[in-house]
Structure formats: C-alpha cells, structure tokens
Amino acid sequence: MGITDDPMEDRFDIPIQPVFIDLAEKCRIQIDMLRLDRTDTVVSGNKWFKLIRNIQAAKSGGYSRLLSFGGAWSNHLVAMAAASSDAGLGAIGMVRGLHAADNLTPSLKQCRDMGMQLRFLSREDYTRKDDPGFLEHLRQEWDGVYIIPEGGANPEGRAGAGLIAKYIPDHYTHICLSVGSGTTLAGLRQALPLTQQVIGFAPMKGGAYLQPLIAGWLSPEQNRNWYLTDDYHFGGFGKITIPLQQWMQDFYRKYHIPLDRVYTAKMMYGVLDMIQQGCFTEKSSVLCIHTGGLQGNTGMRIED
C-alpha cells in the first residue's frame, strides 16, 4: 500500500486492545490501547498520518523531494525516509548536532540505507529550523524541495493526524497520547468531539512550553477540554532509567504490547500513576494511543 493513498480508503485494521489493570478495574476504570504501531513496520503510529497530507501536497505541487528536521534518534526522519521512497520522492534529513555525523545511530543508519541524504547542523544552526530566511536558503540550495517542519508540525500534519479520530469510538471519556511537537494532539482536538478530554504527555523536561503553541493552532471553540503534563519525563527527552526499562519489560510480559522508550512508555507509566492518584473518576473510559516509534528502542542508552 502506498503512502499517498488515503488511509480511510485503505481501511486500516487498527485494533483496540484492552489493558486489564487491577487498580483500574477496582476503580471501575476502563483502559484500552489504540495500536497505531500496527499500521506499518516502518512508517508506524502517528507518523504515517502526519506525513500523508504533506506527501500528497508535495506530489500535487510538483515537488521532487522532501526535507525535514530531527535529532539523531528521530522517528520522524526514519518515517519520512521510508514514506518518501514509497512515494517516489527524494528525502533530505537535517540532523541536530554535528557530533551525530561521527557515529551514526541505528535510526540515522536506517535513514541513510533508505536513500535519505543527511546534513548535520550545529545546535546553533538547528535553532533556525523555523526561520523563514533559513528555509528560503534551503529551498535555493535544494531545488524542488518541499519542507516539512520537525515532527510534521504544519497544517497538513495536523489535518493528517486528525484522521486518527476515525478510529476512536465516541464512548471514550479520555484520550491519552504522548506529545513531541504537539501536532497529533492538536489534530485530534480539532477532530474529536469536545466531550472527550485529550491528555498529552510530554516526554521532555519543561515540555509544558508546548501548551501555548498547541493552543495557538486551535480555534477558540476547540481550545478546551485538553491539557498537557510534563511530569513523566524520566530525566529528559530520549532518556530512560533502569526502573523504567524494567517497568516496560513487565508491561510487555503482562499485556504483550511493546512500548517505545521515548514516548509511549512514559505516557503509559503516567496514565497508571494518574489512576493511582485518583485523577480519573469512576466509570471513566480511557483510550491510550500507541504512537509507534519502536525502531527508536534500538541502541538507546539506559541511565542509572
């Protein structure tokens, strides 16, 4: 199946898997997981949805290649490399940190092996990734390039993310997901009924900075019944502790659901902690979204 096909027409078979947690059942709270990680082996989870409208726009506009930004462990760049190849487009990855060129991570090797050209930027230059003048320079350097912001954070990315709502039944009271750029949360808030509360889990220190950014993408009508927490970062973005790793392994043994270390593991840990704290009322029905990114587990360092 091609990335340029509409996922609604392809009728993805995305299962909703129950997660039977003793504490939740005692509190009469239903916990389920939307297994977006099952959409594709590489372009998995929300990445497929954030890219589809961008690739359709690039092809309809006559562009020959895509360019986007990400770190050395970027799931977004891996997904874009695969999706670009599938769509018959070239791909350019602008990678944060000059040091990343000296010892490619498994994620960057995968990008390279799928034909993506890698350009390594200093951290100072990388801060210009949204600067109009810098982006125009890239358009001049790379002829026929369609630029996608980091994490797919543009109107096309949010529109694509909104397609995920088609897989979310109306009876769920809470929708929980991990948040990197805020694109998927915003797209879902735009598409879901306002009666469903959307809770975002930022896996980085100080991730609450995304709150006003996300709010700015929403209309006044949409900008309610959602919130963002950065309480479960476990030391910062891309960091994982030994206890969290052990918790992930225990979670897999119990539910046979693999979690990624960067995003979904921290989100699920946070959901269970919030149940323990009494943050969900009795008879709540909580749907947790698995946003994919399992390839990012390979080779990641575990902190003490």
Side-chain angles (χ1 to χ4, degrees), residues 71-72 95-100 120-129:
V95 183
R96 181 179 64 250
L98 296 175
H99 65 281
F120 297 88
L121 301 177
S122 69
R123 292 186 177 271
E124 181 180 357
D125 284 341
Y126 195 84
T127 62
R128 302 173 60 203
K129 60 186 172 60

Side-chain angles (χ1 to χ4, degrees), residues 76-97:
H76 169 66
L77 289 184
V78 173
M80 194 185 82
S84 299
S85 177
D86 184 62
L89 298 169
I92 304 161
M94 310 299 283
V95 183
R96 181 179 64 250

Side-chain angles (χ1 to χ4, degrees), residues 158 181-183 185-186 189-190 208-224 226-228:
R158 294 190 289 275
S181 65
T183 303
L185 192 154
R189 181 66 291 168
Q190 290 170 334
Y209 81 90
L210 288 167
Q211 187 115 5
L213 180 66
I214 296 169
W217 292 333
L218 302 172
S219 71
E221 277 188 356
Q222 297 162 343
N223 192 22
R224 56 191 176 94
W226 70 274
Y227 73 91
L228 185 70

Side-chain angles (χ1 to χ4, degrees), residues 2-50:
I3 184 73
T4 52
D5 300 327
D6 193 308
M8 297 303 102
E9 295 175 356
D10 285 298
R11 299 177 183 175
F12 282 177
D13 182 18
I14 302 175
I16 292 178
Q17 181 173 341
V19 182
F20 298 109
I21 298 166
D22 290 341
L23 177 61
E25 292 187 24
K26 287 178 183 177
C27 298
R28 301 179 68 188
I29 296 171
Q30 177 185 356
I31 305 291
D32 295 334
M33 179 171 283
L34 181 65
R35 296 292 305 275
L36 288 186
D37 58 304
R38 304 279 286 272
T39 55
D40 186 81
T41 55
V42 180
V43 194
S44 70
N46 60 337
K47 288 76 179 170
W48 180 284
F49 294 91
K50 290 192 293 181

